[in-house]
Amino acid sequence: MRIDDFLVAPAEAGILPKNSDEQYELSFWDSIKNSNYAGDYEAYLKQYPNGKFAALAKSRLDRIRAAGPSAAPSAPAAKPEPKAEAKPAPAPTPPPAARSAPPSAPSPSTPPAASNQPRSRAGGAISQGTVTMANEGKETPPPAATKPGEARGGESRDCPQCPVMVTIRPGSFTMGSSTSDPAERPPHHVVVNKPFAIGKFEVTIEQWNACADANVCPRIATNNADMKNAPVRDISWDDAQQYVGWLSKTTGKPYRLPTEAEWEYAARGGTSSAFWWGDKMSKGNANCKDCGDPWSDAAPANVGSFTANPFGLHDMNGSVWEWVADCWHSSYKGAPVDGRAWEEPACTSRVIRGGSWREGASYMVSSTRFKYSTSVRQSQNGFRVARDAN
């Protein structure tokens, strides 16, 4: 009898509250349990040295190491999706054709109106927040929300190897969800009172390797250098800090990770719906297993392969999970309402946002959030950069 026979899958055991420590461990394990990459099991053991799957992780790690370099690594399985009474139903519209390279100037499109509220990952209806721009002076309920693209400024690039940045103007929105995971509550009004710039795309392998070539960032073996336009992944929060530090020194400008509030404001793109494109899953808008072609469970598509949101930002939903600056808190109770990062002394657990290409539709909603330890590398985690606007 194998050790696997004594383990109960999360789906069979029943889903625990999303923000419980045991659920985080189960989610982590489920995301790597089919991996043939040693680094994923090393990451689990670093995060949970005495975890319930530690013995199995060590056994699989020993097996992979014994097989030597000839054993081809494979991408891990997706994080488990909590059971829900219903999920957003795919729309019948066909996905657009994939592009081989990131587009230079996407044309924002108005998100479609939806007639039905989707169900959240916890089984409840997605909350319908409100979004306004700072210059409007008052909050307006949906559907008369901010016009798509209204808060978007121009694009810039500070060096040839730097990410393309999109300037986002100040504004306000309702952050979180009232009926989804407890970690997304309470929904609260946030005023982003300063303009900021954020990456049009996630940081790519080519951009990351420029930092590695400068002997500042670690070279990550799982990122194939030939896949220049793929999002870099297997990146820890600490790794991302090395990159933004190098980018700041290279350009003379203060690059950083976006705050969690900035990230959600940018991801929503001036909308208040469950997804930036509306309240129902519509294929062709994100890189996930329910989102249409191009899709492969082995690796994410190149950045920019899917439609940009109304702010001109690609892959805010799906592709890879994205690190943000904030320390993890299990709810938004007491969260800042001015767009700044929510910090704590000696914080060791940080927030990731947006889901990945291996998750389904329920993880694509704009309010989705999760956490990892700052030093853990996981093969679905990447990031995009931000800085204060000039």
Side-chain angles (χ1 to χ4, degrees), residues 92-369:
T93 52
R99 292 184 286 274
S100 58
S104 57
S107 300
S109 57
T110 303
S115 58
N116 298 316
Q117 279 190 325
R119 305 295 290 183
S120 73
R121 294 183 302 286
I126 299 294
S127 63
Q128 300 301 295
T130 53
V131 180
T132 62
M133 291 301 100
N135 62 0
E136 290 181 350
K138 63 180 181 179
E139 192 169 88
T140 306
T146 304
K147 294 179 181 179
E150 186 175 337
R152 180 188 176 188
E155 295 182 7
S156 62
R157 194 175 211 166
D158 293 325
C159 67
Q161 68 269 40
C162 290
V164 175
M165 305 297 288
V166 175
T167 299
I168 307 297
R169 300 188 183 103
S172 63
F173 73 110
T174 298
M175 183 174 180
S177 168
S178 62
T179 55
S180 190
D181 295 319
E184 298 164 24
R185 304 175 191 173
H188 54 292
H189 187 70
V190 174
V191 178
V192 179
N193 51 28
K194 295 181 180 179
F196 65 97
I198 191 168
K200 182 177 182 179
F201 311 105
E202 293 153 335
V203 173
T204 65
I205 292 174
E206 182 177 40
Q207 290 163 352
W208 177 267
N209 283 344
C211 180
D213 291 342
N215 296 317
V216 176
C217 296
R219 203 169 295 279
I220 309 296
T222 46
N223 291 289
N224 186 339
D226 293 333
M227 300 176 65
K228 295 181 178 181
N229 289 325
V232 70
R233 55 195 180 95
D234 222 358
I235 301 296
S236 70
W237 190 88
D238 293 335
D239 293 333
Q241 293 302 311
Q242 289 181 276
Y243 180 84
V244 295
W246 169 79
L247 203 57
S248 298
K249 186 175 181 180
T250 299
T251 63
K253 296 186 178 181
Y255 278 86
R256 55 181 173 80
L257 292 178
T259 70
E260 187 173 13
E262 288 174 339
W263 190 97
E264 187 168 325
Y265 177 56
R268 289 185 178 277
T271 70
S272 56
S273 46
F275 314 99
W276 65 256
W277 56 87
D279 285 325
K280 297 174 69 175
M281 171 52 68
S282 179
K283 293 187 176 181
N285 294 311
N287 186 194
C288 80
K289 68 180 181 181
D290 297 331
C291 296
D293 293 330
W295 185 80
S296 167
D297 64 351
N302 285 348
V303 300
S305 294
F306 290 79
T307 306
N309 79 0
F311 285 178
L313 306 174
H314 292 261
D315 307 315
M316 298 294 287
N317 313 78
S319 189
V320 292
W321 287 94
E322 298 182 18
W323 289 106
V324 295
D326 299 47
C327 187
W328 172 259
H329 296 81
S330 60
S331 78
Y332 285 135
K333 186 176 181 180
V337 295
D338 58 1
R340 61 188 166 88
W342 195 4
E343 290 284 6
E344 295 290 346
C347 177
T348 59
S349 185
R350 299 280 174 169
V351 180
I352 56 173
R353 297 296 304 255
S356 83
W357 85 100
R358 294 191 64 91
E359 271 83 55
S362 64
Y363 274 86
M364 298 303 106
V365 296
S366 297
S367 58
T368 297
R369 61 197 299 259

